[in-house]
Amino acid sequence: MTRSRKRNEPRIGLALGGGGAKGVSHIAFLQTLEDMGLRPSVLAATSVGAVVAGHYAGGMSATEIADRLPQANFADLVKALELIKQSRATKLKGQGMRKLLAASLPVHRFEDLEIPLKVVATDFWARTPVVFEAGDLVTAIRASMALPGLYDPVKLDGRVLIDGGSVDPLPFELIRGQCDILVAIDVSGEKQPKRKRRGNMPSRFEAIFSAFQIMQASIVQAKLRTADVDIYVKPKLENVRVLDFHKHREILDSVRDDVDDFRAQLTACLEAY
């Protein structure tokens, strides 16, 4: 990991949003912080953002996280997810994801993290956010990414939990009071019609998950109208599908301009502090 924060340096809070495979791009922004010799003081995350944040807060560098992506366990996960579109199955039970997280995360409890982390899931019946910041990290992340249609919900303490993006896809407000510079990385991406597709009609699978992402984008835009965010970054990430983890190199390459802009904004904030 990077060096510890000096006494007079501003505290940086980092919120990482959900977006399926687009969340791979979070790694590029973490790498930028490391290149600048900076380390967040607190993290908040939803869904795939929670996966990346959990590894990072647990002690892994951005490079170490990126090196994990091509490994067989991620490839096997992608294959399992792709089977949904080719079979009668409507969702996965989630045990495979739990095992993957347990094997991949450097620590399994919030109390053992090197950086404080808040992970958001959604209480299905109450329709409210559930914020984890203590206890079992694996369960929290598994619940935060329980995307309807892909994974069974998580049952915990009498509640039914689903993907945190349903209510809070970019949970920057949770850490506003714990940092001096608040950074929010929105990886919801953009969608454009494919020219060869007749009538610009999406596939059934694409329509289901894109509708969920449209909802998330609306929530984020509504929050930003009243939010106090110092740096908001939203890479274009055009037409990256929720399961395109095998395109991790392309995804990382596609955000280079956004990373440069992020570096410039962060430098300005640090100079003004």
Side-chain angles (χ1 to χ4, degrees):
M1 293 292 292
T2 52
R3 62 175 174 78
S4 300
R5 184 178 68 91
K6 294 180 180 179
R7 181 173 298 178
N8 295 325
E9 284 183 345
R11 299 168 300 166
I12 297 174
L14 187 62
L16 304 182
K22 295 183 287 292
V24 171
S25 64
H26 284 313
I27 298 170
F29 298 99
L30 292 174
Q31 183 66 65
T32 301
L33 287 173
E34 293 179 4
D35 291 344
M36 296 176 69
L38 300 170
R39 182 178 187 177
S41 296
V42 63
L43 296 163
T46 296
S47 199
V48 70
V51 177
V52 175
H55 285 77
Y56 192 74
M60 293 178 65
S61 68
T63 299
E64 288 172 332
I65 299 171
D67 288 343
R68 289 281 179 97
L69 294 182
Q71 293 182 3
N73 52 3
F74 278 92
D76 290 343
L77 172 63
V78 173
K79 290 177 183 177
L81 291 171
E82 289 289 350
L83 287 175
I84 296 174
K85 295 185 290 184
Q86 303 171 17
S87 70
R88 296 179 181 178
T90 57
K91 58 184 177 297
L92 300 175
K93 294 297 183 181
Q95 290 305 312
M97 175 54 71
R98 183 175 181 84
K99 291 179 180 179
L100 171 61
L101 290 170
S104 182
L105 287 166
V107 300
H108 289 175
R109 296 189 62 79
F110 281 88
E111 291 79 2
D112 296 324
L113 294 172
E114 295 184 2
I115 304 173
L117 169 65
K118 298 177 187 289
V119 171
V120 180
T122 300
D123 185 318
F124 180 81
W125 294 112
R127 302 182 180 182
T128 56
V130 176
V131 181
F132 293 90
E133 50 188 321
D136 184 19
L137 180 65
V138 176
T139 297
I141 296 177
R142 162 72 180 89
S144 182
M145 61 182 305
L147 185 65
L150 272 186
Y151 290 111
D152 275 347
V154 171
K155 296 180 181 179
L156 182 67
D157 298 332
R159 293 182 293 193
V160 177
L161 305 178
I162 62 171
D163 193 296
S166 301
V167 290
D168 200 351
L170 188 57
F172 48 79
E173 74 288 348
L174 296 180
I175 56 175
R176 172 69 278 183
Q178 297 174 256
C179 61
D180 303 301
I181 298 176
L182 178 57
V183 179
I185 310 295
D186 182 352
V187 295
S188 57
E190 298 179 6
K191 279 286 186 182
Q192 296 295 332
K194 296 180 180 180
R195 296 179 181 178
K196 294 182 180 180
R197 178 171 289 154
R198 183 176 299 176
N200 292 334
M201 294 295 290
S203 67
R204 182 176 64 175
F205 186 82
E206 184 178 19
I208 291 172
F209 293 107
S210 290
F212 186 74
Q213 291 172 342
I214 291 169
M215 176 194 71
Q216 290 179 314
S218 297
I219 293 172
V220 171
Q221 291 306 309
K223 289 174 54 176
L224 286 171
R225 284 195 286 270
T226 58
D228 181 18
V229 177
D230 299 293
I231 300 175
Y232 170 69
V233 181
K234 187 179 184 296
K236 191 173 183 179
L237 294 166
E238 187 174 289
N239 290 341
V240 178
R241 298 177 302 171
V242 67
L243 305 179
D244 280 347
F245 288 96
H246 59 287
K247 297 182 179 179
H248 56 274
R249 290 188 179 87
E250 297 173 37
I251 293 170
L252 289 171
D253 287 343
S254 73
V255 298
R256 288 180 179 177
D257 290 343
D258 301 287
V259 166
D260 289 341
D261 182 57
F262 169 61
R263 186 191 301 271
Q265 289 188 66
L266 184 53
T267 299
C269 285
L270 292 170
E271 291 175 347
Y273 182 75

